[in-house]
Amino acid sequence: MTRKATIQDLEQLSKLFDQYRIFYHKDSDIPAAKQFLKERIENKDSEIFVAENEGKLTGFVQLYPLFSSTRMRRYWLLNDLFVNENYRGKGFSKKLIEDAKQLAISTDASGILLETGKSNDVGNQLYPSCGFEIYDEVNFYEWTNKDL
């Protein structure tokens, strides 16, 4: 089962979010994860959907709103998708992606954008199987603030 996250999910969600960050080689920091997610939920900065199995959160997807000037429409950035390793391969990721697609449809958005590493074999199979296409017509650049 999947649903929109609420502030009541914060304890379990922050632990999942911490696992997600560790997966991407960041140090564990559950209090900071909890504060970050609390701010996102309270300020309505993002949309978070959670997967649940027998009352336990098993995964989440977090999307941030963007806007496309050329399309003159909302766009969503699927920034975070994570399923606890004990629950992978059971369809939770696909259901969370479907929730993301329904969000895009319900908000009249022109689409969903995401990025994943070239070495992310699971993601690089998952996303095309869910209808995403590689957009290779542009170069993707990043500027990083070295002071942080």
Side-chain angles (χ1 to χ4, degrees):
M1 170 183 136
T2 59
R3 60 177 172 76
K4 189 171 178 176
T6 68
I7 202 74
Q8 288 76 27
D9 295 315
L10 204 50
E11 288 298 323
Q12 286 190 62
L13 184 57
S14 58
K15 291 175 184 171
L16 269 177
F17 190 75
D18 193 60
Q19 292 172 22
Y20 166 75
R21 291 185 69 251
I22 291 168
F23 179 82
Y24 282 102
H25 313 290
K26 302 297 182 194
D27 293 334
S28 176
D29 191 341
I30 292 175
K34 186 175 182 179
Q35 183 62 35
F36 180 82
L37 292 169
K38 181 175 186 269
E39 289 172 4
R40 300 296 71 75
I41 293 169
E42 289 180 348
N43 296 333
K44 297 181 170 63
D45 291 334
S46 68
E47 294 286 342
I48 305 172
F49 295 93
V50 293
E52 192 172 31
N53 186 43
E54 298 178 0
K56 180 176 175 149
L57 296 188
T58 60
F60 71 94
V61 64
Q62 182 167 215
L63 299 106
Y64 293 97
L66 300 171
F67 292 90
S68 170
S69 298
T70 56
R71 293 176 179 97
M72 295 188 294
R73 288 183 124 42
R74 178 184 298 271
Y75 221 78
W76 287 97
L77 172 64
L78 192 161
N79 201 71
D80 312 308
L81 176 65
F82 180 77
V83 172
N84 176 282
E85 62 186 15
N86 297 325
Y87 296 92
R88 292 180 187 157
K90 300 181 187 312
F92 289 112
S93 292
K94 287 186 176 186
K95 181 61 179 116
L96 289 166
I97 289 172
E98 285 305 311
D99 288 344
K101 288 180 181 178
Q102 285 305 310
L103 173 68
I105 291 166
S106 70
T107 58
D108 200 29
S110 59
I112 299 171
L113 177 67
L114 67 85
E115 70 171 281
T116 193
K118 292 185 184 292
S119 64
N120 182 352
D121 294 334
V122 172
N124 285 311
Q125 290 179 12
L126 172 67
Y127 298 123
S129 76
C130 292
F132 286 80
E133 298 175 9
I134 292 178
Y135 189 74
D136 58 1
E137 296 177 17
V138 299
N139 292 329
F140 183 82
Y141 294 94
E142 177 182 33
W143 175 84
T144 302
N145 185 347
K146 304 294 185 204
D147 294 333
L148 296 180

